[in-house]
Amino acid sequence: MTKSQLEQQIIKTIKNYWRIKSSFAIYKKHLPRTILTQEINYENIPSLAFIGKINVHETIQETLNQIDNYSNDRLARDFFLAIISHIEEFFSNYLKQMGKQSDGTLGALQNRVQKICTIPTLLIEKFDEIRERRNSLIHHGGFVTNRYSETANKIFATSNGFIEDPTTI
């Protein structure tokens, strides 16, 4: 995967996020109210590993409510994680091309790439924030950790025009 392919994957993922959000808003607004009580039958969904057969009957209104809940509670998080998976794939492919070990944690992959490739400090710090945000989401139930706070504050200090980076004073 090249840098250009990574950018295209991220753009495609972000566009799909907004397509889903806007499509759902359109459906909610423009669906005739008369069909909201019609039932959807999910009998033809194939079995999923440990879940087994999904056999659900619900009204269109119930489906829309569930999609709305998912959209509000998880959609942005799931797409954020999808974008990170593109970055992780990029790191792995780059390391493989360089003949280096291409597996391990996201942080380990990042550190290996940084050792063989010159990356601007600000970009490293921004990716550190993204990685720590991911770790907070996955490993700490979305709660902010001290590591995330420290990393995020470092980025905030360098990205806000009204605050000077103390390391450059």
Side-chain angles (χ1 to χ4, degrees), residues 27 34 48 51 57 62 71 74 79 81 87 95 108 113 130 136:
Y27 293 146
T34 56
L48 302 171
I51 297 173
H57 300 274
E62 291 167 333
S71 180
R74 291 281 314 229
F79 272 77
L81 295 173
I87 296 168
L95 290 165
V113 168
I130 291 168
S136 290

Side-chain angles (χ1 to χ4, degrees), residues 3-121:
K3 181 179 178 247
S4 175
Q5 290 169 323
L6 170 64
E7 289 169 355
Q8 289 305 311
Q9 285 288 38
I10 290 172
I11 289 168
K12 182 178 172 182
T13 301
I14 292 169
K15 282 182 179 179
N16 284 331
Y17 169 81
W18 287 109
R19 285 177 183 129
I20 290 169
K21 292 287 279 187
S22 61
S23 296
F24 181 65
I26 291 167
Y27 293 146
K28 279 183 18 180
K29 186 174 182 177
H30 296 290
L31 272 178
R33 300 289 169 225
T34 56
I35 70 164
L36 295 177
T37 57
Q38 291 181 10
E39 194 171 271
I40 298 174
N41 184 342
Y42 295 103
E43 288 179 359
N44 295 324
I45 296 176
S47 295
L48 302 171
F50 63 91
I51 297 173
K53 186 121 175 92
I54 297 175
N55 193 7
V56 176
H57 300 274
E58 60 188 12
T59 65
I60 292 173
Q61 182 63 60
E62 291 167 333
T63 300
L64 290 174
N65 291 343
Q66 291 301 316
I67 293 170
D68 197 32
N69 290 339
Y70 174 77
S71 180
N72 293 330
D73 296 342
R74 291 281 314 229
L75 187 64
R77 173 187 168 154
D78 290 352
F79 272 77
F80 174 71
L81 295 173
I83 289 170
I84 291 171
S85 73
H86 296 318
I87 296 168
E88 189 169 0
E89 179 184 9
F90 175 76
F91 284 166
S92 291
N93 287 337
Y94 181 79
L95 290 165
K96 193 177 292 180
Q97 288 173 358
M98 297 293 123
K100 304 290 183 186
Q101 181 182 353
S102 61
D103 62 347
T105 66
L106 183 58
L109 294 172
Q110 178 187 350
N111 289 331
R112 274 187 234 123
V113 168
Q114 287 172 209
K115 287 179 183 173
I116 60 174
C117 181
T118 303
I119 301 172
T121 302

Side-chain angles (χ1 to χ4, degrees), residues 80 83-84 87 91 106 110 114 119-135 147-148 150-161 165:
F80 174 71
I83 289 170
I84 291 171
I87 296 168
F91 284 166
L106 183 58
Q110 178 187 350
Q114 287 172 209
I119 301 172
T121 302
L122 186 57
L123 185 58
I124 292 170
E125 290 172 350
K126 286 181 179 182
F127 190 75
D128 287 345
E129 187 274 335
I130 291 168
R131 189 189 67 250
E132 290 303 328
R133 183 184 305 200
R134 170 211 171 267
N135 290 344
R147 281 179 68 171
Y148 174 75
E150 291 167 10
T151 306
N153 286 334
K154 193 174 191 181
I155 291 302
F156 177 74
T158 59
S159 64
N160 188 321
D165 181 356

